[in-house]
Amino acid sequence: MSGGVGPTCGDISLPKEEDEHEQHTKLTSDNTTKAVHPDTKRRALLSFRQLHSLVIIIVLSASGMVGLQDFAFLIFSAAYTFLLSKLVFPALPSTSPPAPIFDSRATKLLSIYVRAGAAIGLYLPILYILTGVFSGDKQGTRSAAPHVFLLAAQIFMEGIVFSGGFSIPVRVFVPVCYNSMRMFAIVEWLKSEIWKVGVADGGSTRRVAAGRGLAVANLVFWGFNLFGFLLPIYLPRAFRRYYSDVFKVKD
């Protein structure tokens, strides 16, 4: 996952993968004869986080809790991402590692932000879905599933664009695109929880309150992530760095 920073340039980054990326950057910067641009670094295997996300995608798909529109969006976003990487924002060759987008102090704060987003956006909703399956809350599980599915798909796609050496604008596009789509899914989730009539829908009063609180928390967090961080802060910095590299390549 990514929170707008880190190797995936996404909406919730992976602390473990950030450490690996920093080590790779250090090694390549120390090697003066074979310096490689991190954006063009390719990995052959999927990370554990990607495999975990893929399992979530498969399980939710097999359960029937995800609608056709979510599958269609996943396919469309993957195809559009590939076209962007080939026709609009190709990866740039470079002989030196790029300057970091954020300083070390901001990166530490963002790592905390990343972990909070992982808990609010993925782990707690998964727990909510699992408990809903055992308690018979079909409405609650079906309403929360699209958000979890799209977030898992986002994490998987972020890993693909990073390991595939895609340019930073393409890597930024993935979280912005998926975060925007998930806002609609979260709003539908919240509406479903608000109109739930309690025990008759398979949940206790406490579960209804928990579902509403979790939906509101996700709406607030991801709304801020999209409109308060990704669009006004991270996106301009990412494009500034990309076009700075373009000018360096031309010179």
Side-chain angles (χ1 to χ4, degrees):
M1 277 184 319
S2 75
V5 297
T8 57
C9 296
D11 192 30
I12 291 194
S13 1
L14 309 174
K16 183 177 180 181
E17 291 187 3
E18 286 178 3
D19 295 338
E20 294 174 354
H21 181 61
E22 290 174 359
Q23 292 174 3
H24 165 69
T25 303
K26 182 178 180 180
L27 290 173
T28 54
S29 62
D30 291 341
N31 188 345
T32 56
T33 60
K34 294 183 179 181
V36 180
H37 196 302
D39 286 351
T40 61
K41 174 67 177 178
R42 298 177 182 271
R43 297 181 185 179
L45 300 177
L46 297 177
S47 68
F48 172 78
R49 191 66 63 127
Q50 284 179 273
L51 292 174
H52 181 241
S53 302
L54 186 59
V55 170
I56 295 175
I57 293 172
I58 294 173
V59 170
L60 290 178
S61 302
S63 68
M65 291 187 289
V66 179
L68 182 60
Q69 69 275 9
D70 298 314
F71 289 106
F73 179 78
L74 174 59
I75 296 172
F76 168 78
S77 65
Y80 190 72
T81 298
F82 179 78
L83 290 176
L84 281 180
S85 68
K86 296 299 182 182
L87 303 179
V88 184
F89 300 112
L92 302 174
S94 178
T95 58
S96 62
I101 294 180
F102 298 97
D103 57 30
S104 58
R105 180 179 300 180
T107 301
K108 291 180 180 179
L109 293 175
L110 286 170
S111 67
I112 300 175
Y113 177 73
V114 160
R115 289 174 171 82
I120 294 172
L122 191 65
Y123 302 132
L124 289 178
I126 289 177
L127 180 61
Y128 178 74
I129 291 174
L130 290 175
T131 56
V133 171
F134 289 107
S135 65
D137 182 12
K138 295 181 179 180
Q139 181 178 349
T141 56
R142 285 184 176 275
S143 58
H147 159 68
V148 176
F149 174 85
L150 290 171
L151 184 53
Q154 174 185 330
I155 297 169
F156 184 78
M157 284 296 301
E158 286 177 348
I160 293 296
V161 296
F162 174 62
S163 62
F166 288 65
S167 65
I168 190 170
V170 177
R171 288 156 53 186
V172 144
F173 164 77
V174 172
V176 171
C177 178
Y178 274 89
N179 201 152
S180 301
M181 185 66 177
R182 282 191 293 105
M183 291 300 293
F184 294 101
I186 295 171
V187 169
E188 291 300 318
W189 177 15
L190 180 58
K191 288 167 60 177
S192 177
E193 293 291 346
I194 290 176
W195 290 105
K196 187 185 292 184
V197 291
V199 180
D201 289 312
S204 63
T205 303
R206 182 177 300 179
R207 177 172 173 79
V208 172
R212 292 173 180 175
L214 190 56
V216 169
N218 274 276
L219 184 64
V220 172
F221 184 90
W222 298 113
F224 169 79
N225 189 67
L226 178 62
F227 298 109
F229 179 70
L230 286 176
L231 293 178
I233 298 177
Y234 192 73
L235 188 64
R237 293 190 182 203
F239 274 102
R240 188 181 303 121
R241 199 185 84 176
Y242 178 76
Y243 284 110
S244 175
D245 290 343
V246 169
F247 295 138
K248 290 179 182 179
V249 170
K250 289 183 178 180
D251 293 339

